[in-house]
Amino acid sequence: MNSFELVVPETAEEAVAALQALAPGEAAPIAGGTDLLIDVDEGRVAPRRVISLRRLPWKTLDWNAGALTVGSTLPLRSLEEDPQVRVSYPGLYQAVRAVGSVALRHRATLGGNLVRSAPASDLVPVLLSLDAEVDLVGPSGDRRVPVDRFVQASRRTDLRPGELVRSVYLPEARPSAFLWQRVRPSNDISQVAVAVAFSPAQRRWKVAVGGVTPRPTLLPEASDVLGSGRPTSSEVRRASEIAASRAAFVTDRRASEEYRRHLVATLLERAVGSAVNGGRFPA
Amino acid sequence: MTSPPLRFQVNGHPQHLANVPDSERLLDTLRWRLGLKGTKEGCRTGDCGACTVLVDDRTTLSCLTLTHEVDGAKLTTIETGPEDLVVTRVRAAFDRAGALQCGYCTPGFVMALAGLLKERGTAAAREELLDGLGGNLCRCTGYAAIVRAVDELRTEGP
Ligand SMILES: Cc1cc2nc3c(=O)[nH]c(=O)nc-3n(C[C@@H](O)[C@@H](O)[C@H](O)COP(=O)(O)OP(=O)(O)OC[C@H]3O[C@@H](n4cnc5c(N)ncnc54)[C@H](O)[C@@H]3O)c2cc1C
Ligand code: FES
Ligand code: FES
């Protein structure tokens, strides 16, 4: 088994410096470790130095008039336990609850999920539907990147050498929902996942799907036909048809392409219903 | 590579550990350094829950946790004595419900359920408790007796 040195910086500057001191691939940050340690065991990565993020002041949840900043190293379980998250961002709450098991969520984080950028991530679709942005710290300063640009493909993101995810910014509380289909409810990977959210400020829907390749995506055409408020049942049906025909589904060992197209239509209809009826839908 | 000595409270007793490699998993520290072999290794990939322990009273998969990352924590394993009332009650409920056959998964189930009860209290909804055990696999019981143990704990009250 790969053995490495663990360093535990106290500040973001120290963490960035520790990361930069070695060539990319030789150093890796660790948050919850639920992806990283499996990658180490399976030989996909072999860092000489692992940089613990546990002492950085990033296990935070900050509200500012409806906008929410989630610290990158906050355990997912703490996010789901916050009563206000459940009310203001129901889709996010539902997606977090879908990740692994309770014990996994006591360690797994949002920052780690984004950087792993798994095609089957349950969190990326929801973040897309909420227009989330990623706040990065790095050797040449801070920058903010929309999730839609940050996440590129499996294990590929816009993260530059020496950079760390500090937090994820959610600009606006939105009526929202996240639904998935799996073989087993816990500790399994979603065959299809659907996230929908309605932006009260823009009066627009955002629809995103997971279970597609190469990574979860927004479906602007499906979003647009949902209109600027409560959609009619024929608008919802139309959005479902668009999602079923346009999403980049493929057949793999989890599900056939055909089954995924069938699933996405059903899940989308239900998700819109849940977002509209979940309370707080603007008049 | 090894960092400075670690300090834990393990099942109520202070423990100092020197020379623990930085890359060692909590599961291996518990089993091989501390001889606490009640905690089981099933998959080592986070899928089975057999390695579940409590870190500061929160359920944690010890196979996916670096020992050094939880330095200073209060660790609770299936070996804990009656000083942990919740684990003691859950163990007794498993016993009464006959919720085990080979027993390999049992420490993980007991710790997972004890952790949920500590987080949520005994008033926790049945669905919440059953859902919270979704990360634990059992190959023998068919789960019915485990569900009975959950129900026993709920009717027993605080
Ligand atoms: C059994 C099991 C079931 C799972 N089920 C699901 C599921 O249902 N849905 C789902 O979406 N995911 C699932 N996952 C994956 C999920 O646990 C991870 O994606 C998790 O969210 C990653 O967070 P972490 O803190 O553990 O990341 P880590 O493993 O610590 O890190 C992951 C990667 O990100 C890097 N990194 C971590 N934090 C930062 C940071 N702040 N800045 C820069 N780089 C960073 C690390 O170097 C590493 O490359 C599952 C995993 C397991 C083992
Ligand atoms: S051994 Fe840790 S989850 Fe299976
Ligand atoms: S009792 Fe044998 S695995 Fe559960």
Side-chain angles (χ1 to χ4, degrees):
Chain A
M1 194 197 63
N2 172 269
S3 76
F4 49 74
E5 166 201 28
L6 184 72
V7 298
V8 192
E10 305 277 343
T11 65
E13 296 70 40
E14 280 175 37
V16 168
L19 197 53
Q20 260 201 305
L22 297 179
E26 302 231 302
I30 188 168
T34 65
D35 279 326
L36 182 75
L37 295 176
I38 293 178
D39 278 351
V40 166
D41 286 346
E42 295 182 354
R44 273 189 295 268
V45 296
R48 268 200 298 139
R49 175 186 289 167
V50 171
I51 297 154
S52 168
L53 305 181
R54 77 170 192 268
R55 293 216 181 107
L56 304 187
W58 293 349
K59 296 184 185 178
T60 50
L61 211 49
D62 292 311
W63 296 89
N64 185 354
L68 173 62
T69 304
V70 182
S72 65
T73 57
L74 183 77
L76 293 176
R77 183 70 168 166
S78 306
L79 191 54
E80 86 191 66
E81 296 283 84
D82 186 274
Q84 195 57 41
V85 169
R86 197 169 177 165
V87 175
S88 297
Y89 295 93
L92 179 64
Y93 168 80
Q94 291 154 12
V96 167
R97 296 272 295 184
V99 175
S101 61
V102 171
L104 185 94
R105 298 198 295 276
H106 275 136
R107 296 201 64 78
T109 67
L110 193 55
N113 196 280
L114 273 171
V115 174
R116 165 63 181 84
S117 184
S121 164
D122 288 299
L123 302 179
V124 172
V126 147
L127 296 176
L128 290 172
S129 75
L130 296 170
D131 288 318
E133 301 187 280
V134 187
D135 286 312
L136 302 160
V137 291
S140 40
D142 298 359
R143 61 189 185 109
R144 176 173 277 187
V145 185
V147 168
D148 202 17
R149 249 195 293 136
F150 184 76
V151 169
Q152 297 174 346
S154 184
R155 297 174 208 280
R156 208 173 77 222
T157 66
D158 182 41
L159 197 71
R160 297 175 189 158
E163 273 188 334
L164 290 167
V165 176
R166 185 186 53 210
S167 53
V168 177
Y169 175 73
L170 307 172
E172 171 192 41
R174 292 184 178 173
S176 48
F178 175 80
L179 291 173
W180 45 263
Q181 177 68 34
R182 299 171 172 180
V183 176
R184 289 198 299 139
S186 289
N187 266 356
D188 198 2
I189 288 174
S190 302
Q191 296 160 316
V192 171
V194 173
V196 303
F198 180 74
S199 162
Q202 302 167 29
R203 296 210 66 94
R204 285 186 60 190
W205 285 88
K206 291 276 172 140
V207 174
V209 290
V212 289
T213 49
R215 54 110 163 162
T217 49
L218 285 163
L219 293 177
E221 304 96 328
S223 311
D224 288 347
V225 300
L226 289 170
S228 59
R230 279 170 203 267
T232 63
S233 53
S234 70
E235 285 166 341
V236 177
R237 213 171 314 115
R238 184 78 198 105
S240 295
E241 284 163 13
I242 292 174
S245 61
R246 306 276 167 84
F249 291 118
V250 294
T251 295
D252 63 19
R253 67 198 160 83
R254 277 193 195 88
S256 68
E257 179 187 334
E258 189 192 0
Y259 181 50
R260 286 191 159 104
R261 295 198 185 283
H262 172 74
L263 278 178
V264 77
T266 308
L267 293 177
L268 180 56
E269 275 198 47
R270 289 186 196 156
V272 171
S274 162
V276 169
N277 299 317
R280 299 204 166 194
F281 197 86
Chain B
M1 224 100 39
T2 58
S3 293
L6 298 166
R7 304 151 147 276
F8 294 110
Q9 207 201 70
V10 183
N11 296 331
H13 305 289
Q15 273 289 352
H16 288 221
L17 286 174
N19 304 318
V20 176
D22 285 5
S23 48
E24 186 162 300
R25 306 296 160 84
L26 182 59
L27 172 65
D28 300 318
T29 305
L30 291 170
R31 285 179 58 84
W32 306 111
R33 243 170 248 282
L34 296 172
L36 297 170
K37 294 193 182 169
T39 303
K40 301 299 185 220
E41 174 175 334
C43 63
R44 226 178 161 84
T45 51
D47 293 299
C48 76
C51 67
T52 307
V53 299
L54 303 184
V55 174
D56 291 328
D57 282 334
R58 295 291 176 253
T59 50
T60 302
L61 300 173
S62 62
C63 70
L64 292 182
T65 302
L66 294 178
T67 306
H68 282 271
E69 282 287 87
V70 295
D71 185 16
K74 168 184 159 192
L75 304 177
T76 313
T77 69
I78 191 68
E79 287 90 351
T80 187
E83 70 275 1
D84 193 312
L85 291 172
V86 179
V87 175
T88 304
R89 282 186 49 222
V90 175
R91 266 191 316 235
F94 266 64
D95 193 2
R96 283 197 306 278
L100 57 137
Q101 289 181 27
C102 81
Y104 200 84
C105 69
T106 312
F109 267 101
V110 168
M111 300 316 285
L113 188 50
L116 285 168
L117 291 171
K118 285 179 189 232
E119 267 187 293
R120 291 277 194 261
T122 37
R126 182 171 193 263
E127 278 314 302
E128 178 75 27
L129 295 177
L130 295 181
D131 189 56
L133 294 179
N136 294 79
L137 298 181
C138 173
R139 307 206 317 166
C140 308
T141 62
Y143 301 101
I146 296 173
V147 174
R148 247 186 353 257
V150 171
D151 288 335
E152 282 230 6
L153 281 160
R154 295 188 63 252
T155 50
E156 198 178 89

